Amino acid sequence: VRAGAGGDEATIFAQEILEMYQKYAISQGWNTRVIDDLTLEIKGKTVYDLLRYETGVHRVQRIPETEKMGRVHTSTASVAILPIRKKVKFEINPSDLHIETSRAGGKGGQNVNKVETAVRIVHIPTGMDVRATVERSQSANKERALEILTAKLQALKEEQEAKKFSADRKGQIGTGDRSEKIRTNNFPQDRITDQRIKESWSNIHTILAGKLDPIIGKLQDYQKESTNLQK
C-alpha cells in the first residue's frame, strides 16, 4: 500500500487500508506479517484469488480532524496485490540493483537491532524500491526484498502486456493497473463505491474493520459473468 495525493490524510488512509486487509486475513484464517511499513505478506489458501481485484487507486472523501472549516478532502492510496510465485518467469540482472543496509528502526526512533539487518533494494532501470526489516538477519531480509521486488517487476511487465490487449478486456475488472481508480470511500454519505462495477455499499467503518466479503463476493460474481459472456 502506498499513500498518494492528500498529504497526512493519505498516509492515515493508507494505514487504514493495510489494517483492513490484516483484519480480513485474520477472519479468513490466513497468516500475515508486516514486511516494512505498508508492505504486508499474507499466506493462505485462495489469498490471491480473493484479493487480486484490490489492485488500484482507492480514494477517501472525508473531513480530516485537522480541518477547521469542515471541508471534505479527497485523498488517495494505491494498492498492489502481488503473488509470490515459486516459479519465477522474470529474471533480474544483478548489475541493475543498488543495495543499501541500515538498522531496523522501531517506534519512537529506537533501534530494534544494533547491527544493520534492514535491507533496501532499488531497481535502477525502473526506480522501483523495496525495503525489508522483518527478518533478524541481513541475508534473510535481502532474500525477502528480492522476492517482493521480483514480484513487483513481474506484475509491472504483466500490467504493460495487459494494456496492449485492453480492448479485448472491456468486460473484465480492469487491467490490474495500479494507477487505475477503482474505489471511493465517501464518509459523509457512508458509502463505498466500486467504480469498475458501479456498485455501492454502506457501513464504511464495518468494511474498514475487515468485513470485505460483500465487496469481494460481488467482484468475483461480476468477473465470472463477464468471462462467461466472452466465451
Side-chain angles (χ1 to χ4, degrees), residues 57-75:
V57 175
H58 297 237
R59 297 192 300 175
V60 61
Q61 295 173 325
R62 62 184 171 191
I63 303 170
E65 291 183 5
T66 55
E67 171 57 56
K68 298 179 181 179
M69 303 296 291
R71 292 174 295 188
V72 174
H73 290 225
T74 299
S75 305

PDB file of all heavy atoms in Angstrom, residues 57-75:
ATOM      1  N   VAL A  57      -6.124   2.332  -7.361  1.00  0.00           N
ATOM      2  CA  VAL A  57      -6.155   3.520  -6.507  1.00  0.00           C
ATOM      3  C   VAL A  57      -7.467   3.566  -5.725  1.00  0.00           C
ATOM      4  O   VAL A  57      -8.558   3.513  -6.305  1.00  0.00           O
ATOM      5  CB  VAL A  57      -6.002   4.802  -7.349  1.00  0.00           C
ATOM      6  CG1 VAL A  57      -6.168   6.038  -6.467  1.00  0.00           C
ATOM      7  CG2 VAL A  57      -4.639   4.834  -8.034  1.00  0.00           C
ATOM      8  N   HIS A  58      -7.354   3.650  -4.414  1.00  0.00           N
ATOM      9  CA  HIS A  58      -8.506   3.772  -3.522  1.00  0.00           C
ATOM     10  C   HIS A  58      -8.584   5.225  -3.052  1.00  0.00           C
ATOM     11  O   HIS A  58      -7.585   5.803  -2.626  1.00  0.00           O
ATOM     12  CB  HIS A  58      -8.344   2.848  -2.311  1.00  0.00           C
ATOM     13  CG  HIS A  58      -8.293   1.393  -2.656  1.00  0.00           C
ATOM     14  ND1 HIS A  58      -9.181   0.478  -2.127  1.00  0.00           N
ATOM     15  CD2 HIS A  58      -7.471   0.694  -3.483  1.00  0.00           C
ATOM     16  CE1 HIS A  58      -8.901  -0.728  -2.610  1.00  0.00           C
ATOM     17  NE2 HIS A  58      -7.860  -0.609  -3.428  1.00  0.00           N
ATOM     18  N   ARG A  59      -9.782   5.807  -3.120  1.00  0.00           N
ATOM     19  CA  ARG A  59      -9.952   7.208  -2.709  1.00  0.00           C
ATOM     20  C   ARG A  59     -10.758   7.286  -1.417  1.00  0.00           C
ATOM     21  O   ARG A  59     -11.609   6.445  -1.153  1.00  0.00           O
ATOM     22  CB  ARG A  59     -10.683   8.000  -3.801  1.00  0.00           C
ATOM     23  CG  ARG A  59      -9.932   8.094  -5.108  1.00  0.00           C
ATOM     24  CD  ARG A  59     -10.558   9.123  -6.027  1.00  0.00           C
ATOM     25  NE  ARG A  59     -11.951   8.805  -6.346  1.00  0.00           N
ATOM     26  CZ  ARG A  59     -12.759   9.595  -7.049  1.00  0.00           C
ATOM     27  NH1 ARG A  59     -12.323  10.758  -7.479  1.00  0.00           N
ATOM     28  NH2 ARG A  59     -13.990   9.226  -7.314  1.00  0.00           N
ATOM     29  N   VAL A  60     -10.484   8.330  -0.632  1.00  0.00           N
ATOM     30  CA  VAL A  60     -11.275   8.582   0.560  1.00  0.00           C
ATOM     31  C   VAL A  60     -11.722  10.040   0.539  1.00  0.00           C
ATOM     32  O   VAL A  60     -10.930  10.938   0.247  1.00  0.00           O
ATOM     33  CB  VAL A  60     -10.492   8.257   1.854  1.00  0.00           C
ATOM     34  CG1 VAL A  60      -9.239   9.120   1.981  1.00  0.00           C
ATOM     35  CG2 VAL A  60     -11.380   8.442   3.083  1.00  0.00           C
ATOM     36  N   GLN A  61     -12.991  10.249   0.834  1.00  0.00           N
ATOM     37  CA  GLN A  61     -13.567  11.595   0.922  1.00  0.00           C
ATOM     38  C   GLN A  61     -14.137  11.770   2.325  1.00  0.00           C
ATOM     39  O   GLN A  61     -15.086  11.083   2.702  1.00  0.00           O
ATOM     40  CB  GLN A  61     -14.654  11.780  -0.140  1.00  0.00           C
ATOM     41  CG  GLN A  61     -14.111  11.714  -1.563  1.00  0.00           C
ATOM     42  CD  GLN A  61     -15.204  11.731  -2.613  1.00  0.00           C
ATOM     43  OE1 GLN A  61     -16.283  11.177  -2.415  1.00  0.00           O
ATOM     44  NE2 GLN A  61     -14.928  12.358  -3.750  1.00  0.00           N
ATOM     45  N   ARG A  62     -13.525  12.665   3.101  1.00  0.00           N
ATOM     46  CA  ARG A  62     -13.992  12.893   4.468  1.00  0.00           C
ATOM     47  C   ARG A  62     -13.395  14.201   4.998  1.00  0.00           C
ATOM     48  O   ARG A  62     -12.523  14.808   4.372  1.00  0.00           O
ATOM     49  CB  ARG A  62     -13.601  11.735   5.378  1.00  0.00           C
ATOM     50  CG  ARG A  62     -12.111  11.514   5.538  1.00  0.00           C
ATOM     51  CD  ARG A  62     -11.851  10.276   6.379  1.00  0.00           C
ATOM     52  NE  ARG A  62     -10.441   9.898   6.395  1.00  0.00           N
ATOM     53  CZ  ARG A  62      -9.988   8.757   6.867  1.00  0.00           C
ATOM     54  NH1 ARG A  62     -10.830   7.875   7.377  1.00  0.00           N
ATOM     55  NH2 ARG A  62      -8.694   8.479   6.854  1.00  0.00           N
ATOM     56  N   ILE A  63     -13.859  14.599   6.173  1.00  0.00           N
ATOM     57  CA  ILE A  63     -13.355  15.814   6.815  1.00  0.00           C
ATOM     58  C   ILE A  63     -12.226  15.411   7.761  1.00  0.00           C
ATOM     59  O   ILE A  63     -12.467  14.723   8.754  1.00  0.00           O
ATOM     60  CB  ILE A  63     -14.472  16.528   7.605  1.00  0.00           C
ATOM     61  CG1 ILE A  63     -15.652  16.871   6.689  1.00  0.00           C
ATOM     62  CG2 ILE A  63     -13.929  17.779   8.272  1.00  0.00           C
ATOM     63  CD1 ILE A  63     -16.878  17.360   7.430  1.00  0.00           C
ATOM     64  N   PRO A  64     -10.995  15.794   7.465  1.00  0.00           N
ATOM     65  CA  PRO A  64      -9.880  15.445   8.356  1.00  0.00           C
ATOM     66  C   PRO A  64     -10.047  16.083   9.726  1.00  0.00           C
ATOM     67  O   PRO A  64     -10.689  17.128   9.868  1.00  0.00           O
ATOM     68  CB  PRO A  64      -8.654  16.027   7.629  1.00  0.00           C
ATOM     69  CG  PRO A  64      -9.084  16.195   6.210  1.00  0.00           C
ATOM     70  CD  PRO A  64     -10.554  16.526   6.274  1.00  0.00           C
ATOM     71  N   GLU A  65      -9.483  15.480  10.725  1.00  0.00           N
ATOM     72  CA  GLU A  65      -9.582  16.001  12.095  1.00  0.00           C
ATOM     73  C   GLU A  65      -8.948  17.387  12.215  1.00  0.00           C
ATOM     74  O   GLU A  65      -9.334  18.176  13.073  1.00  0.00           O
ATOM     75  CB  GLU A  65      -8.902  15.028  13.071  1.00  0.00           C
ATOM     76  CG  GLU A  65      -9.644  13.715  13.217  1.00  0.00           C
ATOM     77  CD  GLU A  65      -9.000  12.812  14.241  1.00  0.00           C
ATOM     78  OE1 GLU A  65      -8.034  13.253  14.905  1.00  0.00           O
ATOM     79  OE2 GLU A  65      -9.467  11.664  14.391  1.00  0.00           O
ATOM     80  N   THR A  66      -7.984  17.672  11.342  1.00  0.00           N
ATOM     81  CA  THR A  66      -7.298  18.970  11.400  1.00  0.00           C
ATOM     82  C   THR A  66      -8.012  20.050  10.577  1.00  0.00           C
ATOM     83  O   THR A  66      -7.588  21.205  10.581  1.00  0.00           O
ATOM     84  CB  THR A  66      -5.861  18.827  10.868  1.00  0.00           C
ATOM     85  OG1 THR A  66      -5.908  18.259   9.549  1.00  0.00           O
ATOM     86  CG2 THR A  66      -5.040  17.914  11.772  1.00  0.00           C
ATOM     87  N   GLU A  67      -9.095  19.686   9.911  1.00  0.00           N
ATOM     88  CA  GLU A  67      -9.831  20.633   9.068  1.00  0.00           C
ATOM     89  C   GLU A  67     -10.751  21.494   9.935  1.00  0.00           C
ATOM     90  O   GLU A  67     -11.713  20.990  10.537  1.00  0.00           O
ATOM     91  CB  GLU A  67     -10.646  19.867   8.016  1.00  0.00           C
ATOM     92  CG  GLU A  67     -11.618  20.719   7.220  1.00  0.00           C
ATOM     93  CD  GLU A  67     -10.954  21.875   6.504  1.00  0.00           C
ATOM     94  OE1 GLU A  67     -10.019  21.644   5.724  1.00  0.00           O
ATOM     95  OE2 GLU A  67     -11.382  23.025   6.748  1.00  0.00           O
ATOM     96  N   LYS A  68     -10.474  22.789  10.012  1.00  0.00           N
ATOM     97  CA  LYS A  68     -11.232  23.696  10.881  1.00  0.00           C
ATOM     98  C   LYS A  68     -12.491  24.244  10.216  1.00  0.00           C
ATOM     99  O   LYS A  68     -13.420  24.680  10.899  1.00  0.00           O
ATOM    100  CB  LYS A  68     -10.339  24.858  11.310  1.00  0.00           C
ATOM    101  CG  LYS A  68      -9.129  24.424  12.132  1.00  0.00           C
ATOM    102  CD  LYS A  68      -8.261  25.602  12.511  1.00  0.00           C
ATOM    103  CE  LYS A  68      -7.044  25.155  13.323  1.00  0.00           C
ATOM    104  NZ  LYS A  68      -6.167  26.299  13.688  1.00  0.00           N
ATOM    105  N   MET A  69     -12.518  24.234   8.875  1.00  0.00           N
ATOM    106  CA  MET A  69     -13.650  24.814   8.148  1.00  0.00           C
ATOM    107  C   MET A  69     -14.723  23.789   7.800  1.00  0.00           C
ATOM    108  O   MET A  69     -15.730  24.125   7.196  1.00  0.00           O
ATOM    109  CB  MET A  69     -13.143  25.466   6.853  1.00  0.00           C
ATOM    110  CG  MET A  69     -12.075  26.530   7.069  1.00  0.00           C
ATOM    111  SD  MET A  69     -12.676  27.951   7.995  1.00  0.00           S
ATOM    112  CE  MET A  69     -13.808  28.662   6.795  1.00  0.00           C
ATOM    113  N   GLY A  70     -14.499  22.532   8.180  1.00  0.00           N
ATOM    114  CA  GLY A  70     -15.493  21.499   7.913  1.00  0.00           C
ATOM    115  C   GLY A  70     -15.566  21.066   6.460  1.00  0.00           C
ATOM    116  O   GLY A  70     -16.585  20.531   6.016  1.00  0.00           O
ATOM    117  N   ARG A  71     -14.497  21.290   5.715  1.00  0.00           N
ATOM    118  CA  ARG A  71     -14.493  20.932   4.289  1.00  0.00           C
ATOM    119  C   ARG A  71     -14.096  19.465   4.092  1.00  0.00           C
ATOM    120  O   ARG A  71     -13.249  18.935   4.800  1.00  0.00           O
ATOM    121  CB  ARG A  71     -13.520  21.830   3.524  1.00  0.00           C
ATOM    122  CG  ARG A  71     -13.957  23.283   3.445  1.00  0.00           C
ATOM    123  CD  ARG A  71     -12.877  24.143   2.808  1.00  0.00           C
ATOM    124  NE  ARG A  71     -11.670  24.184   3.631  1.00  0.00           N
ATOM    125  CZ  ARG A  71     -10.640  24.978   3.389  1.00  0.00           C
ATOM    126  NH1 ARG A  71     -10.646  25.787   2.334  1.00  0.00           N
ATOM    127  NH2 ARG A  71      -9.576  24.959   4.187  1.00  0.00           N
ATOM    128  N   VAL A  72     -14.721  18.842   3.110  1.00  0.00           N
ATOM    129  CA  VAL A  72     -14.411  17.464   2.754  1.00  0.00           C
ATOM    130  C   VAL A  72     -13.169  17.441   1.870  1.00  0.00           C
ATOM    131  O   VAL A  72     -13.085  18.174   0.886  1.00  0.00           O
ATOM    132  CB  VAL A  72     -15.590  16.795   2.009  1.00  0.00           C
ATOM    133  CG1 VAL A  72     -15.203  15.406   1.521  1.00  0.00           C
ATOM    134  CG2 VAL A  72     -16.824  16.723   2.914  1.00  0.00           C
ATOM    135  N   HIS A  73     -12.195  16.620   2.230  1.00  0.00           N
ATOM    136  CA  HIS A  73     -10.969  16.468   1.455  1.00  0.00           C
ATOM    137  C   HIS A  73     -10.974  15.112   0.749  1.00  0.00           C
ATOM    138  O   HIS A  73     -11.523  14.141   1.265  1.00  0.00           O
ATOM    139  CB  HIS A  73      -9.739  16.549   2.358  1.00  0.00           C
ATOM    140  CG  HIS A  73      -9.476  17.916   2.905  1.00  0.00           C
ATOM    141  ND1 HIS A  73      -8.226  18.489   2.921  1.00  0.00           N
ATOM    142  CD2 HIS A  73     -10.314  18.838   3.454  1.00  0.00           C
ATOM    143  CE1 HIS A  73      -8.295  19.701   3.459  1.00  0.00           C
ATOM    144  NE2 HIS A  73      -9.554  19.924   3.799  1.00  0.00           N
ATOM    145  N   THR A  74     -10.344  15.051  -0.405  1.00  0.00           N
ATOM    146  CA  THR A  74     -10.182  13.795  -1.134  1.00  0.00           C
ATOM    147  C   THR A  74      -8.715  13.407  -1.122  1.00  0.00           C
ATOM    148  O   THR A  74      -7.852  14.184  -1.518  1.00  0.00           O
ATOM    149  CB  THR A  74     -10.665  13.923  -2.590  1.00  0.00           C
ATOM    150  OG1 THR A  74     -12.063  14.253  -2.593  1.00  0.00           O
ATOM    151  CG2 THR A  74     -10.451  12.615  -3.352  1.00  0.00           C
ATOM    152  N   SER A  75      -8.437  12.204  -0.642  1.00  0.00           N
ATOM    153  CA  SER A  75      -7.072  11.680  -0.605  1.00  0.00           C
ATOM    154  C   SER A  75      -7.062  10.307  -1.251  1.00  0.00           C
ATOM    155  O   SER A  75      -8.116   9.679  -1.434  1.00  0.00           O
ATOM    156  CB  SER A  75      -6.569  11.587   0.841  1.00  0.00           C
ATOM    157  OG  SER A  75      -6.677  12.837   1.491  1.00  0.00           O
TER     158      SER A  75
END
